[in-house]
Amino acid sequence: MADSTLVFIVLGLTLAAFVWGRFRYDLVALSALLGSVILGLVPGEEAFLGFGHPAVITVAAVLVLSRGFERSGVVDVIAQQVLRVGERLFLQLAALTGTVVVLSGFMNNVGALALLLPVAMRLAREHDTSPSLLLMPLAFGSLLGGLTTLIGTPPNIIIASYRGSVTGDSFGLFSFSPVGVAVALAGLAFILLIGWRLVPQRAGKATTEEMFDTANYLVELEVDEEAKANGWTLRDLHDALEETIPVLAVVRDEKRRAGHAFHGELRAGDILLLEAGPEEMKLLEDKAGLRVGKEPEEKDEATQQAKDEDDAREAEKAAQERSRDEEHEKKNKKDKGKEKEKKGVDTEGLQLVEAVVRNDSMMVNRTVGQLRLHNQFGLHLVAVARDGGRLKQRLRDIRFRPGDVLLLQGGESELSESLATLGCLPLASRNLSLGQPRLLLASLAIFAAAILAILLGVLPAAVALVSAALVSLLVGVLPLREGYQAIDGPVLVLLGAMIPVGEALETSGGAALIADSLLGWGGQWPVVVTLVGLFVITMMLSDIINNAAAAVLMAPIAASLARGFEVSLDPFLMAVAVSASCAFLTPIGHQSNTLVMGPGGYRFGDYWRMGLPLEVVVVAVAIPMILMVWPL
């Protein structure tokens, strides 16, 4: 069997596995690499050279620098200004989307989105705006911003490195800017004027209470003398139930202790605040002897009735108390924008946080029991929302998916590190810290020095950016541990594995066969028609597989087309670079799209509504700009 045929079989299976999504894309890419080695398509001694490729090293350096920007407060300064916009939706969209476009040009676009996602959620909550109107424009803006510079998105880095391997001269840091900036501005204008109107509005998902309907599930259970749970620890309770029912708090002597921090034994008179539905309530009563306790207000009324036999006066007093409670609720809602529970169950101080599961999270396809969330990470899983609504099934049976929104409880000191380790992005409104001025200036100065070194040709891009990342770690802008955490392992494995496979597509003659077919089909048409075809095919491919993989696979085909037409290589490579980063039709084409799916309450079919016309705008602007800046 010819090598080109074997390459097509390997790539066909790889693409099918990418689309299926059962296995993570890094594992699929690594399997494709090892399969290519076994079939003799990639020499064994060259199998892992891709992991030392300049594109892989550059992506890793950009991820570290992006985390340094976050920790030093550079992005928080910008986010604080974004929060000052008024109630007008247009201004909110302009501030959020415009900011993420600019940030994505100089840092990882997923990182830029992750930093502004909590800001968008906070704006939605404070101004009673549906997050669905803000989050999809924010995600698409992060993709558009990545088009503007070499370091904005992995496909640009891949294409620049590929050009260097073919011609000996890579694209520069701002070589992508003339085309990328024009496309980004046109896309931004479309989103602000027309695009957001095409996004389905999902109402009532802006707050924790609305997303998870928490009030309907919080119950108070009392431990009495005869209860089996009398003398148990919370771990004993969980073991006895064989069920994941989070105890949010234990009330003892009128003092409430958060469940994750309560390690003593339960005793008579304790009140447990739990998240439980009817089935869980029956389970708690049967196996632990816990019953619904009287709520504080009811107990106060009973005591008052025992002391005062005048029912009329008691009823009047209760009415007055309810009136005062209603006034208090209205004032609280107006001043703080928070809705209090009407049943007397207060979640304040329970350290509940919303977080979204990332594509590369270790939680994907695993259950809470397999992850040992409480024992290993000190977290209680309270609820899970998917597609904008709370899942009703038992927590222990839920297998997490990318984009799931989790309601978690944990200590403030552990939450940040645990979420980072698990691969979750916190969504709850946060207090923006401006960092230390010294570190902020140092971070900017180091990055500026690296950019200057690249522009002056003193150092190659990979060397300059790795040097900047190293200096950031040495001067304390970013602790070493956080530097390693910032490196997105699955993306690097994907790139390192797919680069040799992409080279095999070229060396086996597979790329030439595809190019010859396209040349035969479009030989009677102007070259620009084939260029548009290449652009559209790459864009469609990026909607179903990782954009970096799309760039790796399409680059050799673009080069073969340029040779076949005997025209310049640059416009074809630039077409691949732009189109590979424009995955607007599905939530699976890019991590940015997946990250907003849960918080925005989107469904799979929602993305094309704004994404399809946006892709038409991109093609209409990009092709003329490419031909103008990089003529055939």
Coordinates of all heavy atoms in Angstrom, one line a residue, residues 359-409:
N359 N -12.0 22.4 28.5 CA -11.9 21.2 27.6 C -10.8 20.3 28.1 O -10.9 19.0 28.0 CB -11.5 21.7 26.2 CG -12.5 22.6 25.6 OD1 -12.9 23.6 26.2 ND2 -13.0 22.2 24.5
D360 N -9.7 20.8 28.7 CA -8.6 20.0 29.1 C -8.6 19.6 30.6 O -7.6 19.2 31.1 CB -7.3 20.8 28.8 CG -7.2 22.1 29.5 OD1 -8.3 22.6 30.0 OD2 -6.2 22.8 29.4
S361 N -9.8 19.8 31.2 CA -9.9 19.5 32.6 C -9.7 18.0 32.9 O -10.2 17.1 32.1 CB -11.2 20.0 33.2 OG -11.5 19.5 34.5
M362 N -9.1 17.7 34.1 CA -9.0 16.3 34.5 C -10.4 15.7 34.9 O -10.5 14.5 35.1 CB -8.0 16.2 35.7 CG -8.5 16.9 36.9 SD -7.3 16.9 38.2 CE -7.3 15.1 38.7
M363 N -11.4 16.6 35.0 CA -12.7 16.1 35.4 C -13.5 15.5 34.3 O -14.5 14.8 34.5 CB -13.5 17.3 36.0 CG -12.8 18.0 37.2 SD -13.8 19.3 37.9 CE -15.1 18.4 38.7
V364 N -13.2 15.8 33.1 CA -14.0 15.4 31.9 C -14.1 13.9 31.9 O -13.1 13.1 32.0 CB -13.3 15.9 30.6 CG1 -14.1 15.3 29.4 CG2 -13.3 17.4 30.6
N365 N -15.4 13.4 31.7 CA -15.7 12.0 31.7 C -15.5 11.2 33.0 O -15.4 10.0 33.0 CB -15.0 11.3 30.5 CG -15.5 11.7 29.2 OD1 -16.7 12.0 29.0 ND2 -14.6 11.8 28.2
R366 N -15.3 11.9 34.1 CA -15.1 11.3 35.4 C -16.2 11.8 36.3 O -16.9 12.8 36.2 CB -13.8 11.7 36.0 CG -12.6 11.2 35.1 CD -11.3 11.7 35.6 NE -10.8 10.9 36.7 CZ -9.7 11.1 37.4 NH1 -8.9 12.1 37.0 NH2 -9.4 10.4 38.4
T367 N -16.5 11.0 37.4 CA -17.5 11.3 38.4 C -16.9 11.9 39.6 O -15.6 11.9 39.8 CB -18.3 10.0 38.8 OG1 -17.4 9.1 39.4 CG2 -18.9 9.3 37.6
V368 N -17.7 12.4 40.5 CA -17.2 13.0 41.7 C -16.5 12.0 42.6 O -15.5 12.3 43.3 CB -18.4 13.7 42.5 CG1 -19.4 12.7 42.9 CG2 -17.9 14.5 43.6
G369 N -17.0 10.8 42.6 CA -16.3 9.7 43.4 C -15.0 9.4 42.8 O -14.0 9.2 43.6
Q370 N -14.8 9.3 41.5 CA -13.5 9.0 40.9 C -12.5 10.1 41.2 O -11.3 9.8 41.4 CB -13.7 8.8 39.4 CG -14.5 7.5 39.1 CD -14.8 7.4 37.6 OE1 -14.9 8.5 36.9 NE2 -15.0 6.2 37.1
L371 N -13.0 11.3 41.3 CA -12.1 12.5 41.5 C -11.8 12.7 43.0 O -10.8 13.3 43.3 CB -12.7 13.7 41.0 CG -12.8 13.8 39.4 CD1 -13.8 14.9 39.1 CD2 -11.5 14.1 38.8
R372 N -12.6 12.1 43.9 CA -12.4 12.3 45.3 C -12.3 13.8 45.7 O -11.3 14.2 46.3 CB -11.2 11.5 45.8 CG -11.2 10.0 45.5 CD -10.0 9.3 46.0 NE -9.9 9.4 47.5 CZ -8.7 9.3 48.1 NH1 -7.6 9.1 47.4 NH2 -8.7 9.3 49.4
L373 N -13.3 14.5 45.2 CA -13.3 16.0 45.3 C -13.1 16.4 46.8 O -12.3 17.4 47.1 CB -14.5 16.6 44.8 CG -14.6 16.8 43.3 CD1 -15.9 17.5 42.9 CD2 -13.4 17.6 42.8
H374 N -13.8 15.8 47.7 CA -13.7 16.3 49.1 C -12.4 15.9 49.8 O -11.7 16.7 50.4 CB -14.9 15.8 49.9 CG -15.0 16.3 51.3 ND1 -14.9 15.5 52.4 CD2 -15.0 17.6 51.8 CE1 -15.0 16.2 53.5 NE2 -15.0 17.5 53.1
N375 N -12.1 14.6 49.6 CA -10.9 14.1 50.3 C -9.6 14.7 49.8 O -8.7 15.0 50.5 CB -10.9 12.6 50.3 CG -12.0 11.9 51.0 OD1 -12.5 12.5 51.9 ND2 -12.4 10.7 50.6
Q376 N -9.5 14.8 48.4 CA -8.3 15.2 47.8 C -8.2 16.7 47.6 O -7.1 17.2 47.7 CB -8.1 14.5 46.5 CG -6.7 14.6 45.9 CD -6.5 13.6 44.7 OE1 -7.2 12.6 44.6 NE2 -5.5 13.9 43.9
F377 N -9.3 17.3 47.4 CA -9.2 18.8 47.0 C -10.0 19.6 48.0 O -9.9 20.9 47.9 CB -9.8 19.0 45.6 CG -9.1 18.3 44.5 CD1 -9.5 17.1 44.0 CD2 -8.0 18.9 44.0 CE1 -8.8 16.4 43.0 CE2 -7.3 18.2 42.9 CZ -7.7 17.0 42.5
G378 N -10.6 19.0 49.0 CA -11.3 19.8 50.0 C -12.5 20.6 49.5 O -12.9 21.6 50.0
L379 N -13.2 20.1 48.4 CA -14.3 20.7 47.8 C -15.6 19.9 48.0 O -15.5 18.6 47.9 CB -14.0 21.0 46.3 CG -12.9 21.9 46.0 CD1 -12.7 22.0 44.5 CD2 -13.1 23.3 46.5
H380 N -16.7 20.5 48.2 CA -18.0 19.9 48.2 C -18.7 20.3 46.8 O -18.7 21.4 46.5 CB -18.9 20.4 49.3 CG -18.6 19.8 50.6 ND1 -19.6 19.1 51.3 CD2 -17.5 19.8 51.4 CE1 -19.1 18.7 52.4 NE2 -17.8 19.1 52.5
L381 N -19.1 19.3 46.1 CA -19.9 19.5 44.9 C -21.4 19.7 45.3 O -22.0 18.8 45.9 CB -19.8 18.4 43.9 CG -20.6 18.5 42.6 CD1 -20.2 19.7 41.8 CD2 -20.6 17.2 41.8
V382 N -21.9 20.9 45.0 CA -23.3 21.2 45.5 C -24.3 20.9 44.4 O -25.4 20.4 44.6 CB -23.4 22.6 46.0 CG1 -24.8 23.0 46.4 CG2 -22.4 22.9 47.1
A383 N -24.0 21.3 43.1 CA -24.9 21.2 42.0 C -24.1 21.3 40.7 O -23.0 21.8 40.7 CB -26.0 22.2 42.1
V384 N -24.7 20.8 39.6 CA -24.2 20.8 38.3 C -25.2 21.4 37.3 O -26.4 20.9 37.4 CB -23.7 19.5 37.8 CG1 -23.1 19.6 36.4 CG2 -22.6 18.9 38.8
A385 N -24.8 22.3 36.5 CA -25.7 22.9 35.5 C -25.1 22.6 34.1 O -23.9 22.6 33.9 CB -25.9 24.4 35.7
R386 N -26.0 22.2 33.2 CA -25.6 21.9 31.8 C -26.6 22.4 30.8 O -27.8 22.3 31.1 CB -25.4 20.4 31.6 CG -24.9 19.9 30.3 CD -24.7 18.4 30.3 NE -23.7 18.0 31.2 CZ -23.5 16.8 31.7 NH1 -24.3 15.8 31.3 NH2 -22.5 16.5 32.5
D387 N -26.2 23.1 29.8 CA -27.1 23.7 28.8 C -28.0 24.7 29.4 O -29.2 24.8 29.1 CB -27.9 22.6 28.1 CG -27.0 21.6 27.3 OD1 -26.0 22.1 26.9 OD2 -27.4 20.5 27.1
G388 N -27.5 25.4 30.5 CA -28.3 26.5 31.1 C -29.3 26.0 32.1 O -30.0 26.9 32.7
G389 N -29.3 24.7 32.5 CA -30.3 24.3 33.5 C -29.6 23.3 34.4 O -28.6 22.6 34.1
R390 N -30.1 23.2 35.6 CA -29.6 22.3 36.7 C -29.9 20.9 36.3 O -31.0 20.6 36.0 CB -30.1 22.7 38.0 CG -29.7 21.8 39.2 CD -30.2 22.3 40.5 NE -29.8 21.3 41.5 CZ -29.5 21.7 42.8 NH1 -29.5 23.0 43.1 NH2 -29.2 20.8 43.7
L391 N -28.9 20.0 36.5 CA -29.1 18.6 36.3 C -29.8 18.0 37.5 O -29.5 18.3 38.6 CB -27.8 17.9 36.1 CG -27.0 18.2 34.8 CD1 -25.7 17.4 34.7 CD2 -27.8 18.1 33.6
K392 N -30.8 17.2 37.2 CA -31.7 16.7 38.3 C -31.2 15.3 38.8 O -31.6 14.8 39.8 CB -33.1 16.5 37.8 CG -33.7 17.8 37.3 CD -33.8 18.9 38.3 CE -34.5 20.1 37.8 NZ -34.6 21.2 38.8
Q393 N -30.3 14.6 38.0 CA -29.8 13.3 38.5 C -28.9 13.4 39.7 O -28.4 14.5 40.0 CB -29.1 12.6 37.3 CG -27.8 13.3 36.9 CD -27.3 12.8 35.6 OE1 -27.5 13.4 34.5 NE2 -26.6 11.6 35.6
R394 N -28.7 12.3 40.3 CA -27.8 12.3 41.5 C -26.4 12.7 41.1 O -25.9 12.3 40.1 CB -27.8 10.8 42.1 CG -29.2 10.5 42.7 CD -29.0 9.1 43.4 NE -30.2 8.8 44.2 CZ -30.4 7.7 44.9 NH1 -29.4 6.8 45.0 NH2 -31.5 7.5 45.6
L395 N -25.8 13.4 42.1 CA -24.5 14.0 41.8 C -23.5 12.9 41.6 O -22.6 13.0 40.8 CB -24.0 14.8 43.0 CG -24.8 16.1 43.3 CD1 -24.3 16.8 44.5 CD2 -24.8 17.0 42.1
R396 N -23.6 11.7 42.3 CA -22.6 10.7 42.2 C -22.6 10.0 40.8 O -21.7 9.4 40.4 CB -22.8 9.6 43.2 CG -24.1 8.8 43.1 CD -24.2 7.7 44.1 NE -25.3 6.9 43.9 CZ -25.7 5.8 44.6 NH1 -24.9 5.5 45.7 NH2 -26.7 5.1 44.4
D397 N -23.7 10.2 40.0 CA -23.9 9.5 38.7 C -23.5 10.5 37.6 O -23.4 10.0 36.4 CB -25.3 9.1 38.5 CG -25.8 8.1 39.5 OD1 -24.9 7.3 40.0 OD2 -27.0 8.1 39.9
I398 N -23.2 11.7 37.8 CA -22.9 12.7 36.8 C -21.5 12.5 36.3 O -20.5 12.5 37.1 CB -23.1 14.1 37.3 CG1 -24.6 14.3 37.6 CG2 -22.7 15.1 36.2 CD1 -24.9 15.7 38.2
R399 N -21.3 12.3 35.0 CA -20.0 12.4 34.4 C -19.8 13.8 33.8 O -20.6 14.2 32.9 CB -19.8 11.3 33.3 CG -19.7 9.9 33.9 CD -19.3 8.9 32.9 NE -19.1 7.6 33.5 CZ -17.9 7.2 34.1 NH1 -16.9 8.0 34.1 NH2 -17.8 6.0 34.7
F400 N -18.8 14.5 34.2 CA -18.6 15.9 33.8 C -18.2 16.0 32.4 O -17.5 15.1 31.8 CB -17.5 16.5 34.7 CG -17.9 16.5 36.2 CD1 -17.1 15.7 37.1 CD2 -18.9 17.2 36.7 CE1 -17.4 15.6 38.4 CE2 -19.2 17.2 38.0 CZ -18.5 16.4 38.9
R401 N -18.7 17.1 31.8 CA -18.4 17.4 30.4 C -17.8 18.8 30.3 O -18.0 19.6 31.2 CB -19.7 17.4 29.5 CG -20.4 16.0 29.4 CD -21.6 16.2 28.6 NE -22.5 15.0 28.6 CZ -23.7 14.9 28.0 NH1 -24.1 16.0 27.4 NH2 -24.4 13.9 28.1
P402 N -17.0 19.0 29.2 CA -16.5 20.4 29.0 C -17.7 21.4 28.9 O -18.7 21.1 28.3 CB -15.8 20.3 27.7 CG -15.4 18.9 27.6 CD -16.5 18.1 28.2
G403 N -17.6 22.5 29.6 CA -18.7 23.5 29.6 C -19.7 23.4 30.7 O -20.5 24.3 30.9
D404 N -19.6 22.3 31.5 CA -20.5 22.1 32.7 C -20.2 23.2 33.7 O -19.0 23.6 33.9 CB -20.3 20.8 33.3 CG -21.0 19.7 32.6 OD1 -21.7 19.9 31.7 OD2 -20.8 18.5 33.0
V405 N -21.2 23.8 34.3 CA -21.0 24.8 35.3 C -21.3 24.1 36.7 O -22.3 23.5 36.9 CB -22.0 26.0 35.2 CG1 -21.8 27.0 36.3 CG2 -21.8 26.6 33.8
L406 N -20.3 24.2 37.6 CA -20.4 23.5 38.9 C -20.6 24.5 40.0 O -20.1 25.7 39.9 CB -19.1 22.8 39.2 CG -18.5 21.9 38.0 CD1 -17.3 21.2 38.5 CD2 -19.5 20.9 37.5
L407 N -21.4 24.2 41.0 CA -21.5 25.0 42.2 C -20.8 24.2 43.3 O -21.1 23.1 43.6 CB -23.0 25.1 42.6 CG -23.3 26.1 43.8 CD1 -22.8 27.5 43.5 CD2 -24.7 26.1 44.2
L408 N -19.7 24.8 43.7 CA -18.8 24.2 44.7 C -18.7 25.0 46.0 O -18.9 26.2 46.0 CB -17.4 24.1 44.0 CG -17.3 23.2 42.8 CD1 -16.0 23.5 42.0 CD2 -17.3 21.7 43.1
Q409 N -18.3 24.2 47.0 CA -18.0 24.9 48.3 C -16.7 24.4 48.8 O -16.3 23.3 48.7 CB -19.1 24.5 49.4 CG -18.9 25.2 50.7 CD -19.6 24.5 51.8 OE1 -19.8 23.3 51.9 NE2 -20.1 25.3 52.8

